[in-house]
């Protein structure tokens, strides 16, 4: 079936590549017009160009940058039907100790399989900036963009917001507490906002992906065999596994779905 998003206008953050790009591709195939955000204008424009959409560079963690982005959205279109708060970071970006950190993750995960828990001082040693950056991009960014999108959606009397959570927001995992905290915060924000705007015909849901092949998870390659072994379906996910979930949540098929978390994860984690 195609045409499920015919005539809709969607803004997808962090969509120059990865899950956001896959979501944008499926949205276009279903008839939507897309506005592609990413941190830098050039990659956003490149991806938008491939999809017949428009690109906007903006930092979702910066409220002034987000306001400027939505002003631009207002110049491009008089309506916004779908916002996907997808922009994200793993915390390994630009970290020259990333290889060692991943090696430690593998060692810990292997030890956990045999019932041994190695001491982990990651949080004790975490720098303020590393904490603030994760909360800033994921949780603050989701709030800043939702706040602006709601101005369109309340005016037009309809809309849908999809927030990118993670299995880490519920399951938790040692070694990256800011990521887990930010993603848990996003799930709480999703439920509260869904209550708040339900009677204005606006739905708010989250997707909590499991482990998916993207540039973000590439550096975790040494961990992949273990993740595959832990996953009942025996594989990591592909970006379209998440994009299909976004199409469903954005479409009329999900008209009675709000405040929910949909978690495509191959069975790695079975409770959200
Ligand atoms: N890949 C996975 O296994 C996985 C699992 C669970 C959740 N997620 C979440 O899905 C989302 C997408 O992840 P991905 O795997 O596609 O990652 P990715 O690194 O491939 O893409 C993330 C995009 O977000 C952009 N971005 C980063 N900071 C930004 C900012 N401040 N403002 C605007 N854009 C910014 C990046 O430039 C990049 O294009 C993230 O929120 C991530 O936490 C991913």
């Amino acid at each position: 079936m195609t045409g499920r998003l015919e005539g809709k206008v969607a803004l997808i953050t962090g969509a120059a590549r990865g899950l956001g790009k896959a979501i944008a591709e499926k949205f276009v195939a279903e008839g939507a017009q897309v506005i592609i955000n990413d941190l830098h204008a050039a990659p956003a424009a490149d991806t938008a160009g491939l999809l017949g959409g428009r690109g906007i560079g903006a930092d979702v963690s910066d409220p002034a940058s987000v306001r400027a982005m939505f002003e631009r959205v207002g110049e491009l279109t008089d309506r916004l039907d779908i916002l996907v708060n997808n922009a994200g970071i793993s915390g390994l970006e630009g970290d020259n100790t990333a290889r060692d950190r991943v090696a430690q993750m593998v060692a810990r995960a292997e030890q956990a399989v045999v019932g041994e828990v190695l001491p982990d001082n990651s949080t004790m040693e975490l720098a303020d900036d590393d904490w603030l950056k994760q909360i800033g991009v994921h949780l603050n960014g989701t709030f800043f963009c939702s706040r602006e999108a709601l101005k369109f959606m309340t005016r037009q009397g309809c809309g849908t917001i999809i927030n990118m959570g993670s299995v880490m927001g519920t399951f938790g995992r040692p070694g990256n507490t800011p990521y887990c905290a930010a993603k848990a915060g996003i799930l709480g924000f999703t439920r509260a906002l869904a209550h708040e705007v339900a009677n204005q015909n606006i739905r708010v849901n989250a997707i909590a992906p499991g482990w998916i092949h993207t540039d973000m998870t590439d550096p975790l390659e040494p961990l992949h065999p273990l993740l595959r072994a832990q996953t009942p379906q025996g594989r990591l996910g592909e970006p379209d596994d998440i994009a299909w979930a976004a199409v469903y949540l954005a479409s009329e098929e999900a008209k009675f779905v709000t405040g929910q978390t949909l978690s495509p994860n191959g069975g790695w984690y079975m409770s959200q």
Side-chain angles (χ1 to χ4, degrees):
M1 184 163 57
T2 53
R4 281 183 282 176
L5 304 177
E6 204 61 56
K8 306 283 188 198
V9 179
L11 169 65
I12 305 144
T13 68
R17 67 181 200 191
L19 302 185
K21 183 178 180 189
I23 291 168
E25 286 168 347
K26 287 261 183 284
F27 278 13
V28 168
E30 295 289 341
Q33 292 171 50
V34 290
I35 302 171
I36 302 294
N37 155 262
D38 213 283
L39 188 54
H40 300 294
D46 288 349
T47 297
L50 296 174
L51 298 174
R54 304 301 288 262
I56 306 179
D59 178 351
V60 299
S61 69
D62 173 357
S65 182
V66 169
R67 269 194 298 274
M69 169 165 74
F70 277 86
E71 274 166 26
R72 180 77 187 118
V73 170
E75 290 162 7
L76 294 173
T77 169
D78 58 2
R79 59 181 304 112
L80 181 65
D81 301 286
I82 305 162
L83 167 68
V84 184
N85 283 310
N86 166 79
I89 53 174
S90 67
L92 291 173
E93 296 84 0
D95 178 350
N96 52 19
T97 66
R99 190 188 289 263
D100 292 345
R101 283 174 65 191
V102 172
Q104 277 177 11
M105 280 182 216
V106 174
R108 278 183 223 298
E110 284 173 352
Q111 289 306 110
V113 169
V114 294
E116 223 180 287
V117 181
L118 297 177
D120 188 337
N121 294 332
S122 307
T123 300
M124 190 171 75
E125 291 163 4
L126 190 67
D128 294 359
D129 278 356
D130 291 337
W131 173 271
L132 294 171
K133 187 133 199 260
Q134 293 266 8
I135 302 294
V137 174
H138 295 115
L139 186 55
N140 298 350
T142 296
F143 160 59
F144 295 145
C145 292
S146 299
R147 181 169 61 181
E148 298 304 319
L150 286 169
K151 294 173 187 167
F152 287 78
M153 292 175 180
T154 53
R155 194 169 61 227
Q156 68 206 19
C158 63
T160 181
I161 297 176
I162 299 170
N163 296 325
M164 201 57 79
S166 166
V167 284
M168 294 306 142
T170 326
F171 183 80
R173 193 178 176 86
N176 203 346
T177 49
Y179 185 87
C180 297
K183 293 301 190 184
I186 286 172
L187 302 187
F189 176 76
T190 299
R191 289 188 283 265
L193 184 60
H195 272 290
E196 201 170 291
V197 297
N199 66 359
Q200 296 187 77
N201 198 24
I202 299 169
R203 297 184 297 104
V204 187
N205 290 290
I207 300 175
W211 298 91
I212 316 293
H213 279 290
T214 65
D215 289 323
M216 184 182 276
T217 50
D218 265 2
L220 302 177
E221 219 280 326
L223 204 57
H224 288 186
L226 194 68
L227 296 174
R228 278 194 288 273
Q230 291 171 340
T231 304
Q233 286 194 349
R235 67 172 177 90
L236 272 68
E238 297 302 328
D240 79 334
D241 292 317
I242 303 308
W244 283 123
V247 168
Y248 167 67
L249 289 174
S251 76
E252 277 301 292
E253 292 163 28
K255 64 187 188 303
F256 199 47
V257 180
T258 196
Q260 305 301 313
T261 301
L262 183 54
S263 183
N265 65 46
W268 186 83
Y269 184 51
M270 296 202 183
S271 172
Q272 283 295 324

